[in-house]
């Protein structure tokens, strides 16, 4: 009973089904491309880390060996958390 489902359709029928839906598939692919591009743009804006402006993201303090007081050495601006 191998390929039971597949055998219900002849190769010709499968090809016809594919041909009938290929436009829809292409349409979906185009929409997915648009969504992907929109998501990329969204991610790019999120990629901008809120790095600490006091140390420019280095995490280093005013003196050698000291940690930045603005970010506690993380280099990332601390967000206010509850
Ligand atoms: Zn800092």
């Amino acid at each position: 009973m191998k390929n039971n489902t597949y055998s219900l359709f002849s190769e010709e029928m499968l090809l016809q089904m594919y041909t009938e839906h290929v436009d829809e598939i292409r349409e979906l692919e185009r929409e997915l491309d648009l969504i992907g591009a929109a998501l990329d743009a969204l991610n790019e804006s999120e990629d901008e880390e809120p790095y600490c402006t006091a140390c420019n993201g280095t995490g280093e303090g005013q003196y050698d060996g000291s940690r930045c007081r603005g970010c506690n050495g993380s280099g990332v601006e601390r967000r206010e958390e509850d």
Side-chain angles (χ1 to χ4, degrees), residues 2-82:
K2 275 184 182 176
N3 296 327
N4 192 33
T5 308
Y6 187 81
S7 65
L8 287 172
F9 305 103
S10 69
E11 216 169 292
E12 198 180 345
M13 284 169 73
L14 286 169
L15 192 66
Q16 195 187 342
M17 284 165 68
Y18 175 77
T19 309
E20 278 176 13
H21 291 282
V22 72
D23 283 345
E24 294 171 42
I25 293 166
R26 294 253 166 82
E27 182 74 23
L28 280 172
E29 281 175 345
R30 207 158 49 221
E31 283 176 26
L32 281 173
D33 275 351
L34 289 174
I35 292 167
L39 284 175
D40 280 349
L42 206 65
N43 282 333
E44 270 175 33
S45 63
E46 279 180 1
D47 276 347
E48 286 177 29
E49 287 279 319
Y51 70 86
C52 179
T53 52
C55 61
N56 281 330
T58 63
E60 289 170 11
Q62 207 171 348
Y63 308 102
D64 280 347
S66 66
R67 284 193 297 187
C68 172
R69 281 194 289 175
C71 58
N72 203 25
S74 70
V76 180
E77 197 169 30
R78 285 159 74 179
R79 298 181 189 183
E80 288 183 24
E81 292 173 26
D82 293 327

